[in-house]
Amino acid sequence: MNSRIRYAVASLICIALGLFSRSSFYDFPDWSDAYVGDVLWASMVYFLIAVLNPKGRISLKITLAMLFAFFIEFTQLIQTDWMNQIRSIPSMALVLGYGFKWSDLWCYTVGIGVAALIDRYVVKH
């Protein structure tokens, strides 16, 4: 299978797992609401970057994913009217988030690290 397709499938799996983690189908522990979605979101970011650059070095994909994820998190410190209006659109809220949290940066680091491991040991083989 083409590596772009594998990365796209991995992205879709992250999206599906993220939506499932927020659903009422299963009673997830309270901590999962705070962390699992952010870990999966960051993994999805990594895999989407990999779709754009499938032959790129893993270290480059990690760097780009971290820069993007951290940039988005730090933009949550901006609480202007126009930015909050953009965040009021549900699809944009999923991308931009609402409020800055230091714990999200740790979740992004974990999610991107897990995605890089999956890339190295599963997708590349």
Side-chain angles (χ1 to χ4, degrees):
M1 185 184 333
N2 179 322
S3 57
R4 281 187 203 271
I5 293 171
R6 284 186 279 210
Y7 290 126
V9 168
S11 298
L12 292 173
I13 290 170
C14 289
I15 292 168
L17 289 173
L19 292 172
F20 181 71
S21 76
R22 299 289 184 166
S23 74
S24 60
F25 291 118
Y26 182 78
D27 188 23
F28 291 98
D30 291 338
W31 61 265
S32 73
D33 283 344
Y35 305 114
V36 172
D38 292 324
V39 169
L40 289 166
W41 181 85
S43 295
M44 178 205 64
V45 166
Y46 177 93
F47 289 126
L48 288 176
I49 287 170
V51 166
L52 299 173
N53 188 13
K55 296 186 192 286
R57 292 186 333 265
I58 290 175
S59 60
L60 176 62
K61 291 183 253 185
I62 290 170
T63 301
L64 293 174
M66 294 288 280
L67 286 171
F68 180 81
F70 278 48
F71 174 77
I72 292 295
E73 187 65 25
F74 281 106
T75 65
Q76 293 173 19
L77 294 169
I78 301 169
Q79 295 295 322
T80 61
D81 287 338
W82 66 271
M83 190 67 142
N84 289 331
Q85 286 177 345
I86 293 171
R87 286 187 185 103
S88 70
I89 302 166
S91 59
M92 294 306 294
L94 288 172
V95 174
L96 298 176
Y98 294 103
F100 178 86
K101 290 191 284 183
W102 286 105
S103 62
D104 288 354
L105 299 177
W106 287 106
C107 290
Y108 300 158
T109 303
V110 169
I112 291 166
V114 168
L117 288 172
I118 291 169
D119 187 1
R120 175 153 167 84
Y121 295 107
V122 178
V123 178
K124 293 267 187 193
H125 292 118

